[in-house]
Amino acid sequence: WLAGDGRDALPVTVSVVDAAGRVVPRSANLITFTVSGPAENIGHGNGNHNSHEPEHGPQRQVFHGLAQLIVRSKPGSGPALIRAESPGLKTSETTLDVRTVSLSPAVSAAEPSFAVTGWRFAPPQPAKPDANVTMSDADMNTWSAVSPGSPQKIPDGQWALYRSSFTPWKGISERGGQVSFGSLFGRAEVWLDGTKIAEKTDAAPAELRLDLPPGQGRRVLTLLVQADNDGRTGLGAAVLITAEKTSATSR
């Protein structure tokens, strides 16, 4: 019998026999398989390493009188009828019982994502900096490396500039996706490739999710963040890129 979970499978041996039930070793008959009910034909073979016949479909030649069919259940229950027929031979049938079973524990498929890394932090200043200012990555006096999950402490009211870059997967480059800031501290502006795409007006840490428009090659993310209250700013969690799209959400 088969478990009716849509995943259980069973090999079914098919043989060409004579009137006495003996396998006919010289036979090479073409067999047509039919599977009906809560099961399906997912492939077959005959043990012949020199055979170039497709391993999927309704037909297969026997090799030395033998072949094998793989039958897989469909979700549900009931009898699954398997029929093997060939011109000049008596048709053969057998039935498999497909039984209702509890589905295996599972979790929902996760949306593929990758993290934006290599974040740099420029020293805080009283005035809001230019989001498109050009600074060399080799300028160790201006930039310092920061890691998401460790917000920076700067004087209240001052501004800090954060920047990183990434190259999206092909599908995201062509169709767009989502930028997700797991936790962003401070009031903030988000700039992508030199264009402002969002603003966060509440200084309290919050998630921020934004649509990422299509675009080829390297993309540049810049954050302008203003400190408030306890002076903490920046990235309190990872910044992820996914293929999912959503309207901008923030606090």
Side-chain angles (χ1 to χ4, degrees), residues 13-17 21 23-24 27 62 65-67:
T13 299
V14 179
S15 55
V16 175
V17 299
V23 174
V24 181
S27 59
V62 295
L66 297 170

Side-chain angles (χ1 to χ4, degrees), residues 5-6 16 64 77-78 97 101 133 136 159-160 166-167 191 201 206:
D5 57 5
V16 175
H64 293 318
S77 62
D97 184 21
V101 296
V133 64
S136 170
W159 290 83
F166 62 95
T167 301
W191 293 65
T201 58

Side-chain angles (χ1 to χ4, degrees), residues 18 81-82 93 124 132 147 179 191 194 220 231 236 242:
D18 61 16
L81 179 65
I82 303 168
E93 294 181 349
N132 293 319
S147 298
V179 183
W191 293 65
V220 178
T242 70

Side-chain angles (χ1 to χ4, degrees), residues 43 83 85 102 148 176 181 183 188-189 193 212 224 241:
R83 178 193 296 265
E85 52 190 332
S102 299
F181 297 86
S183 180
E189 294 180 2
D193 300 332
L212 174 67
L224 301 182
I241 307 296

Side-chain angles (χ1 to χ4, degrees), residues 2-251:
L2 289 172
D5 57 5
R7 298 187 299 174
D8 197 12
L10 186 72
V12 177
T13 299
V14 179
S15 55
V16 175
V17 299
D18 61 16
R22 297 169 297 196
V23 174
V24 181
R26 295 177 180 270
S27 59
N29 301 74
L30 181 65
I31 309 297
T32 298
F33 303 109
T34 304
V35 181
S36 58
E40 59 184 340
N41 165 9
I42 63 169
H44 40 65
N46 61 10
N48 182 1
H49 298 297
N50 295 316
S51 173
H52 297 287
E53 294 177 86
E55 295 182 346
H56 297 277
Q59 294 182 317
R60 189 66 179 246
Q61 278 187 306
V62 295
F63 179 59
H64 293 318
L66 297 170
Q68 196 169 70
L69 175 70
I70 307 298
V71 177
R72 182 174 63 192
S73 68
K74 296 179 181 178
S77 62
L81 179 65
I82 303 168
R83 178 193 296 265
E85 52 190 332
S86 182
L89 299 180
K90 182 179 178 181
T91 296
S92 179
E93 294 181 349
T94 189
T95 300
L96 286 175
D97 184 21
V98 179
R99 303 178 186 178
T100 301
V101 296
S102 299
L103 296 180
S104 301
V107 296
S108 301
E111 182 69 31
S113 64
F114 66 89
V116 179
T117 58
W119 285 94
R120 295 294 190 92
F121 168 73
Q125 54 185 285
K128 183 168 70 172
D130 178 5
N132 293 319
V133 64
T134 300
M135 290 182 282
S136 170
D137 289 340
D139 182 1
M140 303 305 293
N141 294 320
T142 302
W143 290 119
S144 58
V146 293
S147 298
S150 301
Q152 284 60 56
K153 184 86 170 181
I154 69 174
D156 287 357
Q158 292 205 4
W159 290 83
L161 185 149
Y162 297 79
R163 183 173 291 164
S164 186
S165 64
F166 62 95
T167 301
W169 295 327
K170 180 179 179 182
I172 297 176
S173 296
E174 295 175 347
R175 296 183 291 275
Q178 179 189 109
V179 183
S180 177
F181 297 86
S183 180
L184 186 56
F185 284 71
R187 298 186 181 91
E189 294 180 2
V190 182
W191 293 65
L192 176 67
D193 300 332
T195 300
K196 181 179 174 180
I197 61 172
E199 185 171 356
K200 177 176 176 286
T201 58
D202 191 335
E207 181 184 24
L208 182 64
R209 292 179 293 156
L210 309 168
D211 281 341
L212 174 67
Q216 301 295 320
R218 179 173 173 265
R219 314 296 297 272
V220 178
L221 266 178
T222 300
L223 299 177
L224 301 182
V225 186
Q226 186 180 36
D228 197 2
N229 297 324
D230 65 358
R232 286 190 297 168
T233 65
L235 305 169
V239 180
L240 301 178
I241 307 296
T242 70
E244 180 183 357
K245 293 184 179 180
T246 183
S247 298
T249 61
S250 66
R251 286 180 55 188

